[in-house]
Amino acid sequence: MPNITFLNPDGSRQTFDIAEGVSVMQGAVANGVGGIVGECGGNAMCATCHVYVDGSQVASFPPMSANEDALLDGTANDRKPNSRLSCQILVTEAVGGLVVELPERQI
Amino acid sequence: MTQHGQLASSHPISSIDPFSPEFLADPYPFHHELREAGAVVWLERYSTWTVARYDDVHRTLNDWQTFCSNRGVGMSDFAKEKPWRPPSLVLEKDPPDHDRTRSVLNKVLSPAVMKTLRERFARAAEAKADELIEIGEFDAIVELAQGFPLSVFPDAVGMRKDGREHLLPYAGAVFNAFGPDNDLRRNAIERAAPHISWIAEQCQRQNLALDGLGAKIFAAADAGEIAMEEAPVLVRSLLSAGLDTTVNGFGAAIFCLGRFPDQWAKLHANPSLARAAFEEGIRFESPVQTFFRTTTKPVSLGGVQMDEGSKVLMLLASANRDPRKWENPDSYDIERRTSGHVGFGSGIHMCVGQLLARLEGEVMLSALASKVRSIEITGEPKRAFNNTLRGLESLPVAIKAK
């Protein structure tokens, strides 16, 4: 299983093996990562699973939808060029080793 | 029926009526029975299918290609019966038509717009909390569950001051109309005429404030994103789905917090749990209990073959308490990870106003949490009966300030 690392705002890090086919958000929630809320359950409607993706990795992702783009304008913590909604990142072998930084706030 | 009679051995059949007074008063034993009966159960009373388990409800919600909405999301099949009102341009449409109108509402109710409403809503919540503490004993449905949304939502939409008393009866009729042709539905539609005409008026541009959410929908029509004649119908969606739902969401949260004093204590100690407490109330009570879909083709679910054109009743409330999905589903736990509950639906039709509902819930519960030490139910709660909505008509409570 691919592993994903979550960098918390306090500097701590958590790494989990997450099954292929679920989203990074779902993997985080299932593993109790507190910094990801995912209020809408993965429907790209709430912007509470905001993450900053390691810059070298974000470029290789499929482009975001117009909807995700619009939602990122309303995140609780400022949007950066490497901002993504983790419910829109599908866990595959290709994203194995991914490092995502969690914002201080999701709401 | 003959056809299904012949197939009797291949799928579970139930005589349960999910719209009977007994079911609406206490749905939980029936939910349990239907979940245990199978993934898909035939309701012989209405010749319709139902799904009661979380996975099947979630799958049905997320497969609009197979389980469509444009034949109505109530029991009535728009392909066979004339809808009682012109269909909604979002709720009762499928892509591609749906996406164009939905994207306008997405923008009008986006996280960015919520940021602009937050401060105003928070101030109103503080004032409401102070007012309630002053009264001490009150009906939590009238004063709080209705009182707070009524104090912020119509103004946020930009509605006229007069006639707002039509909002709740209109929404009540809309949600009753998703049910079968029973007394609840007939009475609601019979009495709906004055509410319908007021709502139609309120949806017109000249009756909407220039700085409200309603005006933003008309601005999208100006920009060519939707047709001008679609704008009032989209405003109607805000009016029908934006108030009664939050009223019942608040009713749910307060009813839960009154019945689970340890959870109130937790919230009082840590008001930042307010948003989660509201969300868990939505999972626990599921203010919107059900919706229907219609199959667009023959489909097999849980080993059961359903014909094209079959109505499928999704028991959202049952999914939200399915022990296959939730640990201790019948306990209200404000620290629970509720992500994935279907109280707001799921998929492309998931509640477009969910962020507004959560904002209202968060600021109001947070204001109460920090100021109120205890909340006690002081009399028998009285249930409000509706084919789709679960909530109370009255809930006498007493609160004690910090």
Side-chain angles (χ1 to χ4, degrees), chain B residues 14-268:
Chain B
S14 173
S15 59
I16 288 173
D17 175 359
F19 302 97
S20 65
E22 299 73 34
F23 190 105
L24 298 177
D26 183 15
Y28 302 109
F30 298 110
H31 287 161
H32 174 78
E33 191 180 327
L34 290 167
R35 280 194 304 263
E36 293 308 308
V40 183
V41 180
W42 179 253
L43 296 176
E44 59 183 4
R45 171 86 171 74
Y46 297 113
S47 297
T48 186
W49 299 101
T50 190
V51 284
R53 296 178 184 170
Y54 178 86
D55 282 348
D56 303 303
V57 169
H58 191 263
R59 182 186 152 181
T60 306
L61 284 166
N62 279 280
D63 182 1
W64 59 265
Q65 291 95 336
T66 307
F67 301 98
C68 77
S69 290
N70 64 9
R71 288 173 72 167
V73 296
M75 187 176 284
S76 167
D77 184 353
F78 292 178
K80 296 173 185 158
E81 288 176 75
K82 184 176 183 289
W84 75 284
R85 60 168 193 167
S88 161
L89 297 178
V90 275
L91 185 71
E92 293 156 334
K93 287 275 181 255
D94 297 311
D97 296 349
H98 163 271
D99 298 355
R100 189 172 47 84
T101 43
R102 170 77 190 214
S103 73
V104 169
L105 290 186
N106 282 348
K107 261 190 278 178
V108 169
L109 296 163
S110 72
V113 172
M114 293 308 115
K115 282 184 177 177
T116 69
L117 297 175
R118 174 174 280 273
E119 207 188 303
R120 199 197 317 163
F121 280 29
R123 268 201 312 271
E126 292 288 327
K128 176 59 78 180
D130 291 338
E131 179 195 321
L132 294 175
I133 288 166
E134 189 70 29
I135 315 173
E137 286 188 47
F138 52 90
D139 183 342
I141 300 304
V142 177
E143 303 298 334
L144 175 55
Q146 298 179 352
F148 180 62
L150 276 169
S151 76
V152 291
F153 178 73
D155 286 337
V157 173
M159 294 168 54
R160 289 186 338 205
K161 298 280 180 204
D162 59 301
R164 292 177 179 185
E165 68 277 7
H166 287 285
L167 285 165
L168 289 175
Y170 176 74
V174 169
F175 283 98
N176 266 321
F178 294 129
D181 182 26
N182 58 11
D183 285 348
L184 283 170
R185 186 175 196 269
R186 276 191 297 270
N187 289 338
I189 292 178
E190 232 165 66
R191 293 172 195 165
H195 312 312
I196 292 171
S197 63
W198 183 83
I199 291 283
E201 273 300 301
Q202 180 55 68
C203 291
Q204 300 304 314
R205 190 168 208 167
Q206 69 272 18
N207 293 323
L208 291 160
L210 296 174
D211 58 352
L213 303 176
K216 288 183 196 291
I217 293 176
F218 278 92
D222 288 338
E225 294 168 43
I226 49 170
M228 196 48 84
E229 62 269 22
E230 290 175 319
V233 191
L234 275 188
V235 173
R236 195 191 68 180
S237 290
L238 293 185
L239 305 191
S240 37
L243 188 64
D244 217 353
T245 47
T246 47
V247 166
N248 286 303
F250 272 112
I254 300 300
F255 193 27
C256 285
L257 290 162
R259 282 176 293 170
F260 296 84
D262 58 321
Q263 299 301 305
W264 179 266
K266 225 187 262 178
L267 178 60
H268 181 57

Side-chain angles (χ1 to χ4, degrees), chain A residues 25 29 32-34 36-41 43 45-47 67 71 73-75 107, chain B residues 62 102 106 111-112 115 118 275 279 337 339-340 346-348 350-351 354-355 358 362:
Chain A
M25 181 281 285
V29 169
V33 177
I36 299 279
V37 182
E39 277 179 344
C40 79
N43 286 283
M45 291 179 192
C46 71
N67 184 44
L71 283 168
D73 285 338
T75 50
I107 290 152
Chain B
N62 279 280
R102 170 77 190 214
N106 282 348
K115 282 184 177 177
R118 174 174 280 273
R275 196 169 170 105
E279 195 76 24
R337 296 297 299 251
S339 179
S346 183
I348 62 167
M350 190 182 188
C351 177
Q354 57 183 283
L355 304 179
R358 290 194 189 101
E362 177 193 339

